[in-house]
Amino acid sequence: VERAFGNGPLKGKRIIVTSGPTHEPIDPVRYIANRSSGAQGTAIAAALANLGADVEFVTGPADIPPPSGVNVVKVQSAAEMHQAVMNALPADAGVFAAAVADWRVVSASSSKIKKDNGKLPTLTFAENADILAEVSQLTDNRPPLVVGFAAETEDVIAHATAKRERKGCDWIVANDVSPETGIMGGKENAVTLISADGAEEWPRMSKTEVARRLAERIAAALAPEKG
Ligand code: CTP
Ligand code: CA
């Protein structure tokens, strides 16, 4: 791997990257999770670091280790990820690749829930804070470039375009995560980059290559205007 050793185009830029799934506790031994491996977020953090960025890598419990050359903040739940991101501000950019759980279990039990003669437990949910939307809508401290992801299983472009507008981020990296694509948990990704200028479809490529291209785009967007 070629490394810029802090002399790349993102030298001096502080970038927050969220990655991985979150685990929402039910009791001390059980949790609700999702199928995110953390592969795309990890690759993006590595690619940004390779271009010289100071990366704050806020990661849920992923299948793969964090990249080297980044500052790693490990979290479990969406609430912890939210707190860690707010603590990591200010930044020049935020890339929100995590598959944040949409709901948490209200009043998770502090002791293991036991079977009780066939009586079933009932879980009540509350919605988690939307980290991407909150950061995008900050009036003070908003990073100049905020990038979200949209994992969809149908009408990918339409849903992702609406998501960008609703949340207020600058770019959305949209992808189709329906099971037949094999993208969730796989090595490849097929994304569409959605910005105020429209939708740009990228061919299917490795998650590493998606990360490299996205990092280049971020470097170009953060570069001082030329001319
Ligand atoms: N996101 C976030 N905090 C949340 C939920 C999502 O920061 N609590 C971010 C994700 O990291 C991603 C983007 O929002 O960058 C979109 O996530 P997604 O799950 O596709 O969108 P939702 O708004 O949660 O909508 P839905 O799951 O209903 O499609
Ligand atoms: Ca969601």
Side-chain angles (χ1 to χ4, degrees):
V1 182
E2 242 174 83
R3 284 208 165 254
F5 289 114
N7 280 317
L10 287 172
K11 179 180 162 61
K13 300 293 185 190
R14 181 178 163 84
I15 304 187
I16 300 169
V17 177
T18 70
S19 182
T22 63
H23 285 183
E24 304 302 315
I26 297 170
D27 69 16
V29 298
R30 305 183 178 98
Y31 57 83
I32 293 171
N34 61 63
R35 295 190 193 284
S36 167
S37 63
Q40 189 62 84
T42 300
I44 290 165
L48 291 167
N50 282 341
L51 295 184
D54 295 325
V55 177
E56 284 290 307
F57 186 64
V58 181
T59 179
D63 296 344
I64 53 172
S68 57
V70 304
N71 187 39
V72 181
V73 183
K74 287 190 178 168
V75 300
Q76 295 282 326
S77 66
E80 288 171 15
M81 184 171 281
H82 178 238
Q83 194 55 56
V85 167
M86 294 304 154
N87 289 344
L89 291 169
D92 296 291
V95 182
F96 295 89
V100 185
D102 292 323
W103 306 283
R104 68 181 172 278
V105 176
V106 175
S107 48
S109 176
S110 58
S111 54
K112 185 185 169 192
I113 301 169
K114 301 293 287 177
K115 283 189 289 189
D116 183 11
N117 296 308
K119 187 174 168 289
L120 300 177
T122 303
L123 297 179
T124 308
F125 292 92
E127 194 167 309
N128 285 324
D130 189 319
I131 305 165
L132 171 65
E134 196 174 312
V135 170
S136 297
Q137 290 165 30
L138 286 173
T139 44
D140 291 337
N141 253 353
R142 184 195 190 276
L145 180 66
V146 180
V147 183
F149 280 69
E152 309 288 348
T153 56
E154 56 192 3
D155 299 335
V156 177
I157 309 282
H159 280 144
T161 301
K163 215 167 249 183
R164 192 188 81 84
E165 279 159 22
R166 193 167 65 240
K167 296 189 186 228
C169 56
D170 301 297
W171 301 349
I172 283 255
V173 181
N175 65 0
D176 185 340
V177 292
S178 22
E180 59 272 21
T181 65
I183 281 172
M184 205 85 178
K187 282 212 180 316
E188 289 188 330
N189 206 351
V191 307
T192 300
L193 182 61
I194 295 170
S195 69
D197 299 332
E200 182 186 302
E201 199 180 329
W202 293 4
R204 190 171 174 127
M205 60 185 89
S206 71
K207 287 182 177 177
T208 314
E209 189 55 31
V210 170
R212 269 197 219 112
R213 289 199 186 197
L214 189 64
E216 296 282 352
R217 283 303 188 83
I218 290 169
L222 295 185
E225 301 279 339
K226 295 199 183 83

